[in-house]
Amino acid sequence: MPPYTLKDAARLIERAIDGEKLHFEWHRKNRDGSLHWDEVYLRRASIGGQDRILAFTREITARKEAEAALQASEEQYRSIFQATSDALILWDSTGQMVDANPAAWHMAGYSKQEFFSKPFHEIIHPDSMDAYNRYRTKALDNKASSMEIRAIRKDGTVIDLESRSIPMPYRGQPHLLSITRDITEQKRIAEELARQREVLRQSEKLSAMGELLASVAHELNNPLAILMGRTALLESKVSDEAIRSDVQKINMAADRCGRIVRTFLSMARQKPPEMTHANLNQIVTSAVDLLAYALRTADIALVMDLDEDLPESLMDADQIGQIIINLLVNAQHVLEECSPPRRIWITTGQRDDRLFCRIGDNGPGIAEEIKPRIFDPFFTTKEADIGTGIGLSVSQGIARDHGGELCLEENEQGALFVLWLDLKLSDKPVIERPGADGTHRNLQEHILIVDDESEISELLQEILESAGLMATRVSSGREALDWLENHQCDILLCDIRMPDMDGSALWRILRQDYSDLAAHTAFITGDTLSANISPFLKETARPCLEKPFTPEQVLELVAGLTD
């Protein structure tokens, strides 16, 4: 009904005289200047035989103010309803959609017309249909509820939604308002954080076990060092070919045990990269030794084609071994889900000034859609309790730190990874070993061996003397100092963990009182996992030979200490 003012009164009266019955509202200004609303009924009537104009008025100011407030409230509600980023849908008591805001159809990827014309249950992912039906039942009962469901967008992508509903009267009838939010990215971040927490938990677990592992490794490395060294020396002493063959088998078994222990410790050890000259074939062999039992019990055949002419190159052998192990473990997990025959092959070689190692399998390969993401941190297709999604990412980082690259190559069947490394040739000196006739270099160096394990020190002494060197044994740092008061030596080989006076205490005295000998000192230990060993070795910057060792490694260590 249009509002009128007193200026319109003459015209309205003329219309009433003409017989029109009028009903209108007007704004009235009081004497005090305030404005009020009146509702007016105006018509012509015959009173006492004369035509009259009757006007009936009623003040409606309060009603008009209430209507204005209601209109403003509805406009505000509509503005909020349309602008909110959450999807808002209004349902009636029969479960029919009454209204929805733009966020609802944008979230589903539809236009407004498509969204309202499409049956809503077709948007729900089949995995969430039961949860949606329970949610809808509560809605029809006019009960508040909440849920997480998965939905399918128009383009086919699956999204995770969090929805809650509240009863809401609308136009005098009970309705339900559902408020829905897209939590797809939120859930992805939560899953990624969970993976990171699991990685951290594993790291903390390994750190807590560090001291125990160090003790176990020390106890295991000593007898392994004795076994490897003694069998190597025994092989050069016997002439009976049958006995020599048996000794070689024992030596090979002991050497394999030693490689397994070293590989395990290198994986558990947390230390900065240490670039030394190493042979890629030996790294591959050590990794295979560590995983041989798991591969064999999984009925996986391993085919190795290693280039025997590969030169040594500068690299961190522990980190490169970690790459090889990661690739082999990944291939094992994939093949365990496949029917036999199962096969992994490893090839090493050299191309120009680069070394390469190829590791492939006859599994199903890597799906095209995930190939661009396989090196992303925390991306994995494995179950949460099997993989963390960091193996390939870390491996690629190690390869690039070495100036190389880890990449996925096209293959007719299965996955094929190739590790490329720049070749940096070794120029380290070589000590000659005694020949079959017992001849050797005429070396004159005198070496002092400091080790509380008598069998280890005896073994070292025999290895050195077999190469023409002079060697003396003592069992502690204090005995070494007592000996040095009356004797001289050219080289000192020292264990680190010893009673009475350990290697670190002896080193500090040597550096102060025997500086020339300190410059020709090296350490031999099987306890590199101990928290205080690695910082000590870094502080001294002296060579260190890890147990178990071979006679060749001992002599190579001595060669590096000889002027």
Side-chain angles (χ1 to χ4, degrees), residues 147-167:
M147 67 169 178
E148 285 188 12
I149 58 172
R150 307 182 77 195
I152 306 174
R153 287 172 52 87
K154 180 181 178 180
D155 60 8
T157 58
V158 177
I159 56 176
D160 293 290
L161 303 176
E162 180 184 62
S163 184
R164 64 185 186 279
S165 64
I166 55 174

Side-chain angles (χ1 to χ4, degrees), residues 55-300:
F56 301 93
T57 64
R58 179 176 61 180
E59 185 174 354
I60 57 171
T61 303
R63 190 188 79 186
K64 294 294 288 185
E65 290 176 349
E67 290 175 353
L70 178 60
Q71 182 178 358
S73 176
E74 288 182 350
E75 290 176 354
Q76 185 179 29
Y77 159 77
R78 177 56 57 180
S79 176
I80 295 173
F81 187 84
Q82 296 293 326
T84 183
S85 60
D86 289 341
L88 303 179
I89 302 178
L90 188 65
W91 309 86
D92 65 17
S93 58
T94 65
Q96 296 300 311
M97 188 186 304
V98 175
D99 197 5
N101 68 340
W105 57 80
H106 292 160
M107 192 176 292
Y110 293 96
S111 67
K112 180 178 180 180
Q113 182 179 359
E114 290 172 332
F115 184 75
F116 280 96
S117 62
K118 186 177 183 64
F120 190 78
H121 68 271
E122 293 183 7
I123 300 176
I124 306 301
H125 192 281
D127 293 346
S128 298
M129 192 57 67
D130 289 343
Y132 170 70
N133 288 333
R134 291 193 297 270
Y135 176 81
R136 188 170 183 273
T137 299
K138 288 185 177 181
L140 294 177
D141 291 339
N142 203 30
K143 295 179 180 178
S145 61
S146 61
M147 67 169 178
E148 285 188 12
I149 58 172
R150 307 182 77 195
I152 306 174
R153 287 172 52 87
K154 180 181 178 180
D155 60 8
T157 58
V158 177
I159 56 176
D160 293 290
L161 303 176
E162 180 184 62
S163 184
R164 64 185 186 279
S165 64
I166 55 174
M168 177 179 173
Y170 180 70
R171 294 180 178 176
Q173 298 296 323
H175 286 70
L176 200 77
L177 179 67
S178 63
I179 307 169
T180 304
R181 179 169 297 175
D182 186 343
I183 58 170
T184 306
E185 182 65 14
Q186 177 183 332
K187 293 197 70 172
R188 187 194 66 79
I189 294 174
E191 291 171 358
E192 182 174 311
L193 289 175
R195 291 185 186 279
Q196 293 183 22
R197 283 194 296 268
E198 178 61 19
V199 172
L200 179 61
R201 188 185 71 83
Q202 293 293 346
S203 176
E204 291 175 344
K205 180 180 178 181
L206 182 60
S207 177
M209 294 177 63
E211 289 299 324
L212 176 61
L213 288 174
S215 177
V216 172
H218 184 266
E219 294 302 318
L220 186 59
N221 280 331
N222 279 335
L224 275 177
I226 295 168
L227 184 59
M228 291 170 62
R230 286 297 177 190
T231 53
L233 293 174
L234 183 60
E235 183 181 345
S236 65
K237 293 178 181 179
V238 299
S239 56
D240 188 312
E241 288 300 323
I243 297 177
R244 182 189 295 271
S245 177
D246 289 340
V247 172
Q248 288 176 341
K249 292 178 181 178
I250 297 173
N251 183 264
M252 290 173 60
D255 183 61
R256 180 167 179 258
C257 291
R259 289 199 306 271
I260 292 174
V261 170
R262 282 195 298 271
T263 304
F264 169 75
L265 293 180
S266 70
M267 291 176 62
R269 185 184 300 125
Q270 295 183 357
K271 65 181 182 66
E274 182 179 347
M275 308 300 282
T276 60
H277 286 96
N279 186 278
L280 182 58
N281 286 346
Q282 293 178 357
I283 295 173
V284 170
T285 302
S286 296
V288 169
D289 285 336
L290 184 66
L291 300 174
Y293 175 77
L295 296 175
R296 186 172 64 254
T297 55
D299 194 21
I300 298 174

Side-chain angles (χ1 to χ4, degrees), residues 295-303 331-332 334-345 361-363:
L295 296 175
R296 186 172 64 254
T297 55
D299 194 21
I300 298 174
L302 188 63
V303 181
Q332 175 194 338
V334 170
L335 291 176
E336 286 176 339
E337 302 297 324
C338 302
S339 301
R342 306 182 181 102
R343 186 172 67 257
I344 297 175
W345 59 88
D361 61 65
N362 67 333

Side-chain angles (χ1 to χ4, degrees), residues 483-496:
W483 186 88
L484 288 172
E485 287 183 0
N486 302 301
H487 304 84
Q488 290 185 347
C489 65
D490 305 294
I491 295 173
L492 189 144
L493 301 181
C494 183
D495 192 14
I496 297 179

Side-chain angles (χ1 to χ4, degrees), residues 431-434 438-447 461-471 555:
I431 289 270
E432 295 181 9
R433 290 301 319 268
T439 60
H440 52 72
R441 291 177 62 190
N442 184 24
L443 301 177
Q444 299 299 320
E445 282 82 0
H446 189 172
I447 301 172
Q461 184 177 28
E462 187 168 343
I463 290 172
L464 296 171
E465 289 178 349
S466 69
L469 297 162
M470 297 177 59
L555 296 178

Side-chain angles (χ1 to χ4, degrees), residues 314-377:
L314 191 66
M315 66 183 77
D316 187 312
D318 292 343
Q319 290 191 346
I320 300 303
Q322 183 179 350
I323 296 177
I324 305 300
I325 290 172
N326 283 340
L327 295 177
L328 290 175
V329 169
N330 285 348
Q332 175 194 338
H333 288 164
V334 170
L335 291 176
E336 286 176 339
E337 302 297 324
C338 302
S339 301
R342 306 182 181 102
R343 186 172 67 257
I344 297 175
W345 59 88
I346 307 176
T347 305
T348 62
Q350 180 179 350
R351 182 178 298 173
D352 298 328
D353 58 350
R354 304 185 82 191
L355 303 177
F356 67 82
C357 176
R358 281 188 169 90
I359 298 181
D361 61 65
N362 67 333
I366 298 175
E368 289 294 331
E369 60 269 18
I370 67 172
K371 282 183 179 180
R373 299 188 60 194
I374 60 173
F375 292 106
D376 291 351

